[in-house]
Amino acid sequence: MSYLIKGDTGNWEVVIGLEVHAQVVSQAKLFSGASVAFGAAPNTQVSCVDAGMPGMLPVINGFCVAQAVKTGLGLKARINRHSVFARKNYFYADLPQGYQISQYDQPIVGEGTIVLDMPDGSTRTIGIERLHLEQDAGKSIHDMHPQKTFIDLNRSGVALMEIVSKPDLRSPEEAGQYLRKLRSILRYLGTCDGNMEEGSMRCDANVSVRPAGSNELRTRCEIKNVNSVRFVMQAIEHEARRHVDVYESGGTIVQETRLYDSNRDETRSMRSKEMAHDYRYFPDPDLPPLIFDQAFIDKIKASLPELPDDKKERFIRDYALSTYDADVLVAEQENALYFETVAKGRDAKLAANWVISNLFGMLNKQGVAIADSPVKAKDLGALIDLIADNTLSGRMAKEVFEVMVETGKAPAMIVEERGLKQVTDTGAIDAAIDQIIAANPDKVAEYRSGKDKLMGWFVGQLMKATQGKANPGLCGELLKKKLAP
Amino acid sequence: MSLDKATVRRIATLARIDVQEAELEPLAGELSAILGWIEQLQEVDTSAVAPMTGGTDAALPWRSDVVDDGGQPEKVVANAPDPQDGFFTVPKVVE
C-alpha cells in the first residue's frame, strides 16, 4: 500500500530521511561533571567547560559512551571501536564555545536497521546510516525582555545521540512508525527517555519528492525541530505537497532549512543560513580518538534487555497472540510486563483481550499511566481466574472490573460483597426453569411446535429470575433439555 | 593554494573578525603564504601511514558519570555584561 501524492502531471512519491536527537540518560554531561537534571534554576548546572571558559579541557563521560554503544547494539548496528570527535563551528548566542563537539566522518556507531510494524501487520526494514555523540547547546529565551534574549547554559554540554536514518521512508505514516519504534527501543534500552514534549527527543525531517517509479533523488529540504510524532507526520505531508506544487508549476526547490508552524499547518523558510552551513569541521585537538576494546562491547551486549522485536516474536510464539495484539503489548516495556503477569498460567488470548480492550481503554480514558493503574496486574489476573472457573460470566466480569477501577479492591472481595457469584448450581436453575414453564404454558407450546426463536425469550426470563447470575451457557443447555417435546 | 579577497572576506565573516577592506588584499597574501608553507608537507610520502587526528599517543581519559561540578551560577555569569535573574543576556536574536 504505497503513499502517492496526486499531481496534475501524475503521481509523486515522497522520500524521507529522519535525524533524531536523543538526549542520553545520564547523571552528568558528556564532557563535564555538571548535572543534566531538567528544570533547574538558570545556569546552576554549568561547569567552566560548558560555559566555554578559556583553557578548559573536556573529559568524556564513560557512561555516555556505553549508552551510545548500547543504543547501537539495539539498532543492530556496527560499533566503531575507534571514533573521532570533531568541532562543528558556528556562531550563536547559546553556543559559548563557538563550536559544538560532535563527530563527523568517524562516528561511534555505523550502519544498522530498524524494523517498522505497520498497522496492516506487515513490516518494513529501514536503514540506519549512523549514530554519533555530540553536545547539546544552551537555551535561548526570546520572550523575557523586549530588546534582549536570555541565555541559560544548563543544557549546554548535555550528551545527545544523533541518529540518522537512510532516506528509506516513503510516507508520513512510515515516518511516524519509525519515530514510535525508535522511541520504544530507546526506552527499552534505558538510553533515552523519549519524551518529545520535554525535548529529550527532537526530530529533523529531510523531505524530497520524485515522480512515482523513478529512482532519482531530488533536492531535499530539512524541517527543523518538530516536537511530536503527529506534527512530524503533518509537516512531511505538507512539505511534500509543496514540492509537488513547485515542480508542477515549473519551479525548482532550493535546498534549505524550514520551520514547521503547527498552528498554521505550514512550513516556512528560516532566515538565510548559507553561512551557517559552512561548519568547517575538523578533529577536536582537545580530544584524542575514542577507543575501546571488544570486551567493553561484549559486556554491554550481555546487559541488553529483551528488545521489542524479540519480545513480539516470543509473544506470538509462546502465547499464540495475533501480530496486532503483540505489537500493541510490546510497544512499552511496562505494558508487556503487565500483560505477562496477567497471562502467566492463564488463557493468554483472554488475558491479552482484557489488557488491550478493557485495561488500556480505561487508562486512555482516564489519562493514567500503567504504573499508576487503579487495577493491578495480579487483580486483573484474579478476575480472569473467576471467569475461567465459572464464578463470573463475561458480562458480570465487566461489571466487577468497573468496580475494581473505582475502588481498587480485589475482584474476589467485590464478588463477595455484592453477591455477584454466578449461579452454576443446576438444581437452582432447574427450579427457576420449572417455574417459568409453569407460568407460560402458551409460550412452551409455541416453542414445542417449532418456534425456535423463542429460546432467546426463555433465556431472558431465566436471567431475570436469577438476577443475571446464572451461567448463560448452562441456561441454554438446561432450557433446551426441559423444553424438549 | 592561494586565497583571493572574497574568500578571506568570507572566512573573516565566519570567524566574526572585523577585517577592513584595505586589509583583505595583504591578508590574502599572508594566508596564502602560510598555506603554501604547510603544503610542503604534501611532499612527504604518507601512503603507509594511517591518518592521525592528533600529535600524541595519549589515550582519551574517561570520567565517571558523577555530578561533581556546577552550582555556581553567580560565578558563571560574573564576567558577562548585564546578567539578569541568573541568565546571560544578549541583544535580541530574531529568528
Side-chain angles (χ1 to χ4, degrees):
Chain A
M1 191 187 61
S2 59
Y3 175 87
L4 292 172
I5 300 164
K6 277 197 188 4
D8 298 333
T9 58
N11 288 331
W12 296 76
E13 183 179 55
V14 56
V15 178
I16 307 153
L18 296 180
E19 291 172 18
V20 171
H21 288 89
Q23 183 180 327
V24 174
V25 170
S26 66
Q27 299 297 313
K29 295 182 180 178
L30 182 55
F31 293 111
S32 86
S35 168
V36 305
F38 183 78
N43 293 311
T44 53
Q45 296 176 166
V46 180
S47 79
C48 290
V49 175
D50 312 320
M53 295 293 177
M56 302 310 297
L57 278 176
V59 180
I60 199 163
N61 181 337
F63 181 69
C64 294
V65 174
Q67 291 284 66
V69 170
K70 196 174 190 182
T71 307
L73 292 170
L75 298 172
K76 312 265 188 288
R78 192 183 73 241
I79 308 298
N80 295 325
R81 284 170 42 201
H82 180 287
S83 67
V84 173
F85 285 100
R87 291 186 179 179
K88 177 181 181 177
N89 299 277
Y90 67 94
F91 185 83
Y92 204 76
D94 56 23
L95 188 78
Q97 291 168 145
Y99 58 85
Q100 176 190 32
I101 304 178
S102 180
Q103 297 190 296
Y104 187 49
D105 53 357
Q106 298 180 67
I108 185 167
V109 175
E111 292 183 324
T113 54
I114 191 162
V115 177
L116 309 188
D117 312 289
M118 301 312 291
D120 64 358
S122 66
T123 59
R124 271 266 285 143
T125 302
I126 303 299
I128 299 287
E129 176 69 32
R130 60 185 280 158
L131 174 157
H132 68 251
L133 277 170
E134 64 184 23
Q135 298 175 302
D136 204 347
K139 191 175 175 196
S140 297
I141 304 150
H142 303 290
D143 57 4
M144 287 180 73
H145 192 283
Q147 285 92 35
K148 298 216 160 205
T149 293
F150 282 37
I151 311 284
D152 174 12
L153 297 182
N154 280 349
R155 219 177 57 191
S156 166
V158 167
L160 301 178
M161 297 178 284
E162 179 172 329
I163 303 164
V164 183
S165 84
K166 290 186 180 291
D168 287 351
L169 298 158
R170 291 290 174 271
S171 68
E173 178 83 66
E174 284 186 1
Q177 280 305 109
Y178 173 90
L179 287 174
R180 288 190 198 100
K181 189 59 177 281
L182 179 60
R183 182 168 60 188
S184 170
I185 291 170
L186 293 171
R187 289 165 68 116
Y188 265 66
L189 293 167
T191 56
C192 171
D193 69 21
N195 189 332
M196 290 188 87
E197 291 70 36
E198 278 181 16
S200 46
M201 194 171 137
R202 311 196 279 271
C203 177
D204 302 340
N206 286 299
V207 179
S208 67
V209 300
R210 62 189 177 196
S214 136
N215 274 323
E216 64 178 320
L217 283 178
R218 294 199 176 191
T219 306
R220 62 189 157 85
C221 289
E222 184 181 13
I223 311 165
K224 277 275 178 207
N225 274 339
V226 201
N227 66 357
S228 80
V229 173
R230 192 164 59 89
F231 287 158
V232 170
M233 293 168 67
Q234 284 176 10
I236 290 169
E237 192 175 345
H238 173 88
E239 182 65 9
R241 184 75 241 177
R242 190 183 70 86
H243 284 216
V244 169
D245 292 345
V246 167
Y247 286 130
E248 294 200 328
S249 60
T252 49
I253 292 289
V254 225
Q255 183 164 346
E256 61 179 352
T257 304
R258 298 178 71 85
L259 274 180
Y260 177 66
D261 182 338
S262 58
N263 292 323
R264 296 196 206 160
D265 188 24
E266 64 174 28
T267 64
R268 60 170 180 272
S269 187
M270 282 173 77
R271 173 180 53 91
S272 162
K273 284 223 164 186
E274 82 267 17
M275 285 295 191
H277 275 302
D278 190 347
Y279 291 130
R280 296 154 292 144
Y281 280 99
F282 64 91
D284 191 318
D286 287 343
L287 293 160
L290 173 59
I291 295 168
F292 43 79
D293 56 16
Q294 186 61 39
F296 177 72
I297 301 173
D298 291 343
K299 203 173 148 203
I300 295 168
K301 202 178 241 167
S303 78
L304 287 182
E306 182 183 38
L307 289 167
D309 288 341
D310 298 327
K311 204 182 275 292
K312 173 184 167 185
E313 212 171 280
R314 181 167 63 81
F315 278 15
I316 293 171
R317 188 182 64 232
D318 291 0
Y319 296 115
L321 296 187
S322 68
T323 307
Y324 175 83
D325 285 358
D327 278 339
V328 172
L329 290 169
V330 305
E332 297 285 342
Q333 223 165 0
E334 295 80 6
N335 293 354
L337 182 67
Y338 190 106
F339 162 73
E340 288 209 86
T341 310
V342 176
K344 198 172 178 199
R346 304 191 174 97
D347 179 343
K349 184 66 202 163
L350 189 60
N353 284 345
W354 272 90
V355 171
I356 293 171
S357 314
N358 302 75
L359 183 84
F360 290 175
M362 177 273 292
L363 294 176
N364 273 341
K365 211 161 80 189
Q366 303 204 348
V368 176
I370 195 156
D372 306 320
S373 169
V375 177
K376 301 298 167 206
K378 69 169 172 44
D379 290 331
L380 185 54
L383 179 67
I384 290 171
D385 287 339
L386 292 174
I387 302 168
D389 71 7
N390 275 327
T391 305
L392 296 175
S393 66
R395 197 178 55 79
M396 291 163 82
K398 284 199 177 101
E399 273 178 49
V400 173
F401 182 77
E402 297 287 317
V403 182
M404 289 167 75
V405 172
E406 279 164 35
T407 64
K409 285 183 182 167
M413 189 187 275
I414 296 166
V415 167
E416 187 70 27
E417 282 175 4
R418 314 218 163 184
L420 282 170
K421 208 165 154 37
Q422 174 170 247
V423 178
T424 52
D425 170 10
T426 52
I429 298 175
D430 272 338
I433 293 174
D434 288 340
Q435 274 182 8
I436 292 166
I437 288 176
N440 302 282
D442 48 334
K443 298 271 196 231
V444 175
E446 276 183 63
Y447 176 83
R448 285 186 176 150
S449 66
K451 215 170 167 192
D452 289 351
K453 274 190 288 183
L454 272 173
M455 178 52 88
W457 182 85
F458 279 108
V459 172
Q461 292 300 305
L462 189 50
M463 292 310 264
K464 212 155 136 195
T466 57
Q467 286 107 49
K469 285 185 263 178
N471 177 312
L474 202 55
C475 286
E477 211 175 292
L478 294 174
L479 269 169
K480 230 174 240 163
K481 224 182 275 171
K482 289 260 183 190
L483 289 171
Chain B
M1 187 182 179
S2 83
L3 301 178
D4 58 14
K5 253 174 79 170
T7 309
V8 175
R9 190 184 289 120
R10 183 174 162 79
I11 294 169
T13 308
L14 286 169
R16 299 308 197 271
I17 298 172
D18 185 13
V19 177
Q20 301 302 310
E21 189 65 25
E23 296 173 291
L24 290 174
E25 198 69 61
L27 261 178
E30 284 174 40
L31 288 171
S32 297
I34 294 168
L35 286 174
W37 182 64
I38 291 171
E39 270 170 7
Q40 287 179 38
L41 288 171
Q42 308 251 10
E43 293 166 20
V44 183
D45 179 9
T46 57
S47 53
V49 182
M52 296 159 70
T53 52
T56 67
D57 288 335
L60 181 65
W62 289 22
R63 69 160 67 237
S64 306
D65 185 30
V66 173
V67 175
D68 58 8
D69 208 338
Q72 44 184 0
E74 58 296 322
K75 281 189 179 167
V76 168
V77 299
N79 295 323
D82 194 24
Q84 293 186 28
D85 305 327
F87 291 95
F88 293 92
T89 68
V90 297
K92 195 151 200 124
V93 183
V94 185
E95 188 59 62

